[in-house]
Amino acid sequence: NNTATYGGGIFCLSNSSPTINNNNISNNTIPNTGGPRGGGGIYCWNSSPFITNNTISNNTATGAGGGIVCYGSGSSPSITNNTISNNSDGGIMCSGSSPTISNNTISNNTTSASGGGIYCGGGSPIITNNTISNNTASSSGGGIYCYVNSSPIISNNIISNNTGGGIQCNSNSNPAITNNTISNNTNSGGIACGS
């Protein structure tokens, strides 16, 4: 139930590498102050925290990354074994960053834009062994949205029942998509690739 401009629950500043383990990070809010703000649950600014075994739920942002934001080329967090659910403005946003996102349950997150489960804008995130399901994006990429020269590795995930499609790739993004189960996604189907 915390409120902040960035990182409603936790804000990791430049060059920090905290271990964030076994917490319940919920019901935090980034208020609408006239511009996009993110990281309702956790905001990583050019930092590389270890985020493991947490429940990150029911957080709200007014721009992107209701659950977690990873921002900047110096940001390479490890996001593992978390439940990231029911966040508003998406589950995870990666902007110019290269996190490792593995073994998480990312579900029932919503956004009025793109990337209900995960948004990748630049950088080279590794997205593996996650269950990404029942997320909603009003625009595109209900499960995963790849944008602006991002090159994620997307492997061994279950990507299902997302509204806005399973995976959407636009603006010179170059994902490697291997060994995933992609099923029952609506509005753009399983995988949609644009220019």
Side-chain angles (χ1 to χ4, degrees):
N1 302 302
N2 302 290
T3 301
T5 303
Y6 297 94
I10 298 173
F11 187 13
C12 303
L13 292 171
S14 295
N15 301 314
S16 63
S17 300
T19 296
I20 302 170
N21 186 39
N22 289 316
N23 302 284
N24 182 2
I25 302 167
S26 62
N27 299 302
N28 301 291
T29 303
I30 305 299
N32 188 347
T33 57
R37 300 287 185 267
I42 301 173
Y43 194 107
C44 307
W45 180 285
N46 286 313
S47 61
S48 300
F50 297 89
I51 303 170
T52 60
N53 299 308
N54 302 283
T55 297
I56 301 168
S57 63
N58 298 297
N59 300 288
T60 301
T62 58
I68 301 173
V69 165
C70 309
Y71 185 86
S73 59
S75 191
S76 300
S78 174
I79 303 170
T80 306
N81 293 320
N82 302 283
T83 297
I84 302 167
S85 64
N86 297 296
N87 298 290
S88 177
D89 266 323
I92 301 173
M93 178 185 181
C94 310
S95 180
S97 61
S98 299
T100 298
I101 302 169
S102 64
N103 296 296
N104 302 282
T105 298
I106 303 168
S107 63
N108 297 296
N109 302 287
T110 62
T111 180
S112 58
S114 301
I118 300 173
Y119 180 106
C120 304
S124 302
I126 297 171
I127 303 168
T128 184
N129 294 310
N130 302 282
T131 297
I132 303 168
S133 63
N134 297 296
N135 301 287
T136 299
S138 297
S139 181
S140 54
I144 300 173
Y145 186 67
C146 305
Y147 190 67
V148 189
N149 301 309
S150 63
S151 300
I153 295 172
I154 302 170
S155 65
N156 299 302
N157 302 284
I158 297 172
I159 303 169
S160 63
N161 299 298
N162 299 288
T163 300
I167 301 173
Q168 176 89 28
C169 308
N170 284 332
S171 294
N172 299 313
S173 60
N174 295 288
I177 303 170
T178 59
N179 296 314
N180 301 281
T181 298
I182 302 170
S183 63
N184 297 306
N185 301 287
T186 61
N187 302 347
S188 295
I191 301 173
C193 300
S195 59

